[in-house]
Amino acid sequence: MSNSLLYSHLYEWYETNHRSLPWRETDDPYAIWLSEIILQQTRVLQGLEYWRRFMARWPNVESLAAADESEVLREWQGLGYYSRARNLHKAAIQIVESQKSKVERGEIATYHFPNTYEELRALPGVGEYTAGAIASFAYNLPYPAMDGNVYRVVARLRDIDEAFDTSAGKKLFHKQIESLLDCDHPRLFNSAIMEFGALYCTPSLGDNCAQCPLQMQCASYQHGTAEMLPVRKARPKIRDRWFTYHVYVSYQQSTVSDQPSDVFTLIRRRENPKDIWYHLYEFPCEETQSERLKVNGERIIDLTHVLSHQKIHARFIIHKEQQMPELPGTMVIRWDELNDYALSRLTLRALDTLRLTPRN
Ligand code: SF4
């Protein structure tokens, strides 16, 4: 079956309705890669702000490779899923290292971003979707870019009631998108179908189907099944965890009489690469099996923090001390230096709630 009618209706819709996003108006693969990594688990509006900040600070792959991992994590703070930031940095280093000798010998003028699907796929943090997105958006290569929005549109256009997040489902959807892909205009096709899923063929359809330009090409509309699609497998159970944080605070009088006293605290870096928040900083923490610790302190704040597969029941206890306790793996910093460290979203929430100032 020819897709030409589908393409013309889709492109016409896209022309009129697409959002103006800076990474869709460039073919710079570095800028596109950065946007794709940022947007993996992030809403466009929030992602846009981070993308601009990253582009201003590290405008190309060599500048990002030269940064410290801690600076990249600090800039990423608030976006969550920090493995994306670590992989971003690792990938930049990998690209630069692989071309360094050629640049130094003058064989190539500057570092270039990988330009084949296979090379893109070999970068840390780049899966099938991201490789397809960069290959098509930057180089106009005929690869599909299947994000969640595209899975939904394909499930509905082809009326597929198989779960898309199983290995059998992925294969089936991949075949379908290959048969839909416009190999003459892959950049336009991927941009248009992603945007159509994001803005029009959304999870809640409302009255959209009645006015839809793809109505005649949409099997689920013809069969009345659109609202039930796509199907996903049952979600894994959320794991509960109980963290008790000790916020040690020590005041030391300034040597200058009219100056406020300095406030110090203790932080540590999370060092388990298999656990959440690897290489982020936080207050010393005790994890318990079934409930938060009952410990006395000046103030106690309880927060619940939900991640994709974990629910953290956190307790923050303030201890005011004359002398900081000596705890292995921690370091003493001034309270106002907390801003210099990459902190988890939970720690930031606690800081917001604590509103700790030198006087309280
Ligand atoms: S008819 Fe409805 S389900 Fe089908 S593509 Fe259009 S909006 Fe999506």
Side-chain angles (χ1 to χ4, degrees):
M1 189 175 68
S2 159
N3 292 319
S4 52
L5 264 181
L6 174 86
Y7 298 154
S8 66
H9 292 152
L10 181 63
Y11 300 160
E12 202 175 307
W13 176 89
Y14 181 70
E15 194 56 41
T16 318
N17 296 287
H18 75 273
R19 294 165 291 185
S20 162
L21 299 169
W23 49 82
R24 290 285 177 269
E25 282 152 25
T26 176
D27 57 6
D28 172 5
Y30 172 78
I32 292 166
W33 167 63
L34 190 57
S35 74
E36 290 300 337
I37 302 295
I38 288 174
L39 292 177
Q40 275 169 15
Q41 311 279 348
T42 304
R43 284 172 297 111
V44 167
L45 214 58
Q46 188 191 16
L48 183 59
E49 190 192 317
Y50 280 80
W51 181 84
R52 287 199 173 119
R53 285 218 306 260
F54 266 76
M55 285 299 291
R57 187 163 179 187
W58 299 299
N60 49 41
V61 73
E62 56 269 40
S63 56
L64 181 59
D68 272 350
E69 186 197 63
S70 58
E71 292 175 87
V72 178
L73 290 174
R74 177 69 188 81
E75 203 64 80
W76 195 266
Q77 187 170 281
L79 271 182
Y81 299 94
Y82 284 81
S83 57
R84 290 182 292 161
R86 281 189 291 272
N87 281 332
L88 198 69
H89 188 232
K90 263 194 233 162
I93 293 173
Q94 187 172 306
I95 293 168
V96 166
E97 286 300 316
S98 69
Q99 298 171 33
K100 202 173 198 165
S101 56
K102 284 188 179 169
V103 171
E104 281 167 359
R105 288 199 299 268
E107 290 170 27
I108 52 175
T110 184
Y111 296 95
H112 70 83
F113 210 83
N115 58 6
T116 66
Y117 179 86
E118 291 70 26
E119 284 178 300
L120 291 165
R121 190 72 179 77
L123 296 174
V126 173
E128 272 181 16
Y129 161 74
T130 309
I134 305 168
S136 59
F137 297 145
Y139 306 114
N140 208 22
L141 293 172
Y143 289 93
M146 293 282 283
D147 71 352
N149 291 320
V150 177
Y151 274 109
R152 183 170 56 254
V153 177
V154 172
R156 288 171 172 171
L157 286 175
R158 294 288 162 94
D159 197 10
I160 304 170
D161 61 2
E162 174 129 9
F164 66 83
D165 48 355
T166 62
S167 49
K170 273 190 187 131
K171 269 189 203 150
L172 176 66
F173 275 82
H174 207 81
K175 269 195 175 159
Q176 292 295 333
I177 191 74
E178 276 179 351
S179 72
L180 281 169
L181 181 68
D182 181 353
C183 292
D184 294 330
H185 310 98
R187 176 187 290 140
L188 175 60
F189 175 82
N190 284 341
S191 304
I193 196 164
M194 284 168 76
E195 195 73 340
F196 186 71
L199 301 182
Y200 198 87
C201 189
T202 47
S204 305
L205 282 162
D207 291 333
N208 286 3
C209 293
Q211 311 293 329
C212 179
L214 306 187
Q215 215 181 60
M216 297 311 287
Q217 288 78 43
C218 180
S220 72
Y221 177 73
Q222 312 291 335
H223 302 153
T225 52
E227 288 281 8
M228 290 176 270
L229 299 174
V231 174
R232 61 163 71 233
K233 70 176 182 204
R235 287 192 180 269
K237 200 176 168 308
I238 299 253
R239 176 182 163 212
D240 287 289
R241 297 176 77 179
W242 287 266
F243 290 178
T244 301
Y245 288 98
H246 299 281
V247 184
Y248 292 102
V249 183
S250 160
Y251 299 86
Q252 287 180 16
Q253 193 57 51
S254 167
T255 45
V256 184
S257 61
D258 61 345
Q259 292 296 307
S261 52
D262 276 335
V263 185
F264 292 86
T265 190
L266 270 189
I267 59 169
R268 62 158 200 170
R269 192 165 82 150
R270 290 181 71 91
E271 296 291 359
N272 181 353
K274 297 208 166 88
D275 200 357
I276 54 172
W277 303 329
Y278 176 51
H279 275 182
L280 298 196
Y281 290 83
E282 62 183 13
F283 299 111
C285 175
E286 288 182 80
E287 180 166 5
T288 41
Q289 287 312 306
S290 58
E291 58 179 42
R292 298 162 168 120
L293 281 179
K294 293 186 176 67
V295 182
N296 289 332
E298 289 269 334
R299 279 172 76 194
I300 295 178
I301 287 166
D302 287 343
L303 292 174
T304 303
H305 195 72
V306 182
L307 302 168
S308 57
H309 298 101
Q310 301 187 18
K311 188 175 192 181
I312 313 291
H313 306 270
R315 170 163 291 170
F316 289 81
I317 303 177
I318 307 232
H319 308 272
K320 290 192 176 167
E321 305 284 346
Q322 292 291 330
Q323 282 288 315
M324 277 296 174
E326 287 187 14
L327 300 179
T330 63
M331 59 183 177
V332 179
I333 61 163
R334 281 213 327 271
W335 187 266
D336 57 12
E337 287 172 337
L338 276 168
N339 281 334
D340 301 337
Y341 292 86
L343 306 169
S344 70
R345 185 108 203 98
L346 171 61
T347 303
L348 290 171
R349 281 182 61 203
L351 287 172
D352 250 13
T353 316
L354 288 166
R355 293 188 195 287
L356 192 67
T357 69
R359 293 294 169 213
N360 65 10

